Amino acid sequence: MSVEIKTAKGRRVWDSRGRPTIETEIELVSGAVGRAIAPAGASTGSGEAVDKRDGGDTFGGFDVKAGVAAVNGEIANCLRGLDASDQEQVDAALIELDGTANKSRLGGNALIATSMAVAHGAAAEAELPLWQYLGKGRDDFFLPLPEIQIFGGGAHAGRRVDVQDFMVIATGAKTYEQALEWTAEVYRCAGRIMTEAGLNQGVADEGGYWPAFVSNEQALDYLVRAIEGAGFIPGEDVAISLDIAATDFGKAGRYQLSADKREVDSDGLSEMLLRWIERYPIVAIEDPLGEDDPEAMAAFTAAAGDKVEVIADDFICTSASRIEEAHRGGACNTALIKPNQVGTLTETKAALDRSRQLGWESIVSARSGETEDTTIVHLAVGWGVKQLKVGSFSRSERMAKWNEGLRVAETLGQQGGRLAPRKSFPWG
C-alpha cells in the first residue's frame, strides 16, 4: 500500500477555553487517515512558534479561518504526493513553505496540527498505534510518570497567587495506574479541605482548583495538607512540583509578586524559592526566573540543581539551539517539550534528542488551551520520555490524555503500566 499523501484537510474546531483552533486531517492514497489538533498556550515564551489568528472582533480576535485556509490551500498543495512515512521530509517542506523563523506566515498552529496528522496517517498505514510506530525497534516501552496540577494560579487563575501551577508527582508510585490513583486521592482531598475552609473559587484553566489563597506559601501549606490528608507521606510517596512561570510577572530582573504585595529582584526571588525547597517536599521547579534573566537562572541552577529538576519552558521554547545555549550557560537541567512551541514533530524530536545528549531530563507537556487530542501521550511513550505534564485531574481534555496512557499500558500487556525505575529520576 502507498504512504503517499493524497489530501490535507483543515477544519476549525474548539479548544478547552472555547476558542477556535485548527484540526488537520491527512488522507493517504491507500485510504489511511491521520488527524490531529493544535493546542494553545496562555503564558508563552518569546521564542515560540506563532499561532496564526485572524484578529478583529470575532471571538476576540482568536478565529483561525486564515490558518484553516492555509491547510486547505498552500499546505495541501505542498504535501500532495509526499511520503508520509518520511516525517523529516514532510516537516522540511512545511518549514520551507512557511519561510519564517517563527512560523508566523502560515501559523505554528496550522503546521503542528499538520505535522502530527501526517505521523498519525503513517502509523495508521503501518497498522500500528502512534507510540509503537514512533518507537520502532524498541522493546523497552514504559509509561511516563504523571505531573499533575492540583491548584492553578498565575495566568491560569486570575493571578490570585503568582505561581502558575502547584502540582504533585507520585514519586513513590510503582505503576502509571497507581500514580493516577494516588493523585486522584490528593485532588479529592485538596478540594474537600479548600471547600471546608471557604477557599475554593472554582476550576482554573487546566482543571486544578482556583484558590482564594492570600499568599503563595498558603498554597504550598494546603498542598502538603492534601497529600497528608490523602494518606501519603510528602516527599516519599507524593512530592510537589511548581511552575513559577516567572517570565509572566517579571522583566529585566524585577518580579512583581501580587499575592505577597511586593517586588523582588532576581536574588530575592531565588532566595524565596530556595527557602521553599528547604521547607517543602519540592522535587521540580519550572521557569523559576524569567527568560530574559539567564545569569540568575544559572545561579539558581547552581544552587538548587542537585536537589530538584530545574525545568526550562519559556527559557528554551522546545528549541534544540536554545537548549544548547542554556546548557552552555549553566542554566536549568530539564527540558519541557511542547510540540506546538516549535511547530513540527521533527523539530520537537531534535530538541528532545539534544537535551538527552547534554544529560538533561525531559518532560513532554500539554498546553493550557487543550483538546481531546492525545498525540503527546504517544510521543512520550514512543520516544521514551520519563515524565508527562498534562494539567490537572479533571476536565475531559486532560482526562482524555491520562486515560489514553491506561489504554497504552493495556496494549503493552503491562499490569498498570511500568514506569521508568525510581533510581533513574533525580529524586531516586
Side-chain angles (χ1 to χ4, degrees):
M1 301 293 283
S2 175
V3 289
E4 184 180 326
I5 296 173
K6 179 182 178 182
T7 62
K9 177 180 176 59
R11 63 173 61 91
R12 186 182 72 181
V13 295
W14 303 88
D15 72 13
S16 57
R17 294 194 184 96
R19 291 176 180 170
T21 188
I22 299 171
E23 178 177 72
T24 298
E25 185 172 300
I26 297 290
E27 183 181 356
L28 307 188
V29 169
S30 66
V33 173
R35 187 183 300 120
I37 309 175
S43 60
T44 55
S46 62
E48 289 198 26
V50 176
D51 277 0
K52 191 172 185 64
R53 301 285 180 173
D54 295 348
D57 296 329
T58 305
F59 307 127
F62 287 101
D63 210 352
V64 292
K65 288 182 179 178
V68 170
V71 176
N72 288 324
E74 287 187 69
I75 291 174
N77 293 334
C78 173
L79 297 188
R80 190 176 296 116
L82 294 186
D83 182 348
S85 67
D86 190 342
Q87 189 75 42
E88 289 188 13
Q89 179 198 37
V90 168
D91 290 342
L94 291 172
I95 292 166
E96 182 179 1
L97 180 67
D98 176 80
T100 65
N102 61 0
K103 314 296 193 299
S104 57
R105 193 180 77 80
L106 297 174
N109 45 355
L111 296 190
I112 193 59
T114 302
S115 180
M116 295 192 303
V118 169
H120 279 286
E125 172 60 28
E127 298 183 342
L128 294 171
L130 181 59
W131 61 266
Q132 193 171 359
Y133 174 78
L134 294 173
K136 283 179 294 199
R138 288 182 53 209
D139 59 3
D140 59 343
F141 290 107
F142 53 81
L143 273 292
L145 179 62
E147 182 183 15
I148 301 180
Q149 183 195 81
I150 303 299
F151 303 135
H156 295 172
R159 302 199 172 282
R160 188 61 186 257
V161 287
D162 302 292
V163 175
Q164 184 165 278
D165 294 321
F166 295 87
M167 299 169 285
V168 295
I169 302 175
T171 51
K174 298 295 191 295
T175 65
Y176 175 85
E177 183 177 28
Q178 187 177 55
L180 295 183
E181 290 172 351
W182 288 10
T183 303
E185 292 287 13
V186 174
Y187 185 81
R188 181 183 63 83
C189 187
R192 176 178 58 78
I193 63 177
M194 284 182 67
T195 299
E196 289 172 354
L199 296 174
N200 189 6
Q201 291 187 323
V203 176
D205 251 3
E206 295 193 12
Y209 294 107
W210 187 324
F213 297 132
V214 297
S215 70
N216 294 296
E217 290 198 7
Q218 187 183 22
L220 287 164
D221 290 334
Y222 268 79
L223 190 48
V224 171
R225 285 179 58 188
I227 294 169
E228 292 174 335
F232 303 111
I233 301 172
E236 184 174 325
D237 299 324
V238 179
I240 293 173
S241 174
L242 303 175
D243 180 3
I244 308 302
T247 298
D248 229 29
F249 58 86
K251 186 176 182 180
R254 306 297 301 181
Y255 298 90
Q256 301 291 332
L257 295 173
S258 300
D260 298 337
K261 297 179 176 59
R262 62 192 176 104
E263 179 184 283
V264 295
D265 61 9
S266 304
D267 289 342
L269 181 59
S270 294
E271 288 168 5
M272 180 185 77
L273 298 178
L274 290 169
R275 286 198 304 271
W276 289 358
I277 291 170
E278 294 301 320
R279 179 177 173 186
Y280 300 100
I282 295 169
V283 295
I285 295 187
E286 182 181 325
D287 281 351
L289 284 303
E291 64 173 281
D292 64 349
D293 208 355
E295 291 183 2
M297 186 76 87
F300 180 83
T301 304
D306 63 340
K307 304 179 185 72
V308 300
E309 289 183 317
V310 182
I311 304 165
D313 178 15
D314 295 342
F315 201 67
I316 59 166
C317 294
T318 314
S319 161
S321 62
R322 286 173 179 260
I323 291 170
E324 174 74 44
E325 182 179 355
H327 180 268
R328 189 165 53 247
C332 308
N333 58 27
T334 303
L336 203 68
I337 303 296
K338 296 176 173 177
N340 85 313
Q341 279 187 326
V342 68
T344 67
L345 285 187
T346 298
E347 291 166 291
T348 304
K349 184 62 161 54
L352 174 62
D353 289 344
R354 193 66 188 120
S355 68
R356 285 172 163 165
Q357 291 162 4
L358 295 171
W360 280 24
E361 296 292 332
S362 301
I363 304 169
V364 170
S365 175
R367 301 308 301 262
S368 52
E370 268 295 340
T371 72
E372 68 274 19
D373 188 285
T374 61
T375 302
I376 61 167
V377 180
H378 291 258
L379 299 183
V381 176
W383 289 343
V385 182
K386 293 189 293 185
Q387 294 173 260
L388 178 64
K389 177 187 178 188
V390 165
S392 193
F393 208 69
S394 72
R395 298 179 46 149
S396 292
E397 78 278 1
R398 314 290 157 185
M399 304 313 296
K401 296 168 181 58
W402 299 131
N403 291 339
E404 185 73 353
L406 293 170
R407 298 184 193 101
V408 171
E410 189 175 283
T411 302
L412 281 167
Q414 296 178 357
Q415 187 65 33
R418 180 171 65 90
L419 300 168
R422 178 166 179 155
K423 65 181 180 181
S424 71
F425 292 95
W427 51 81

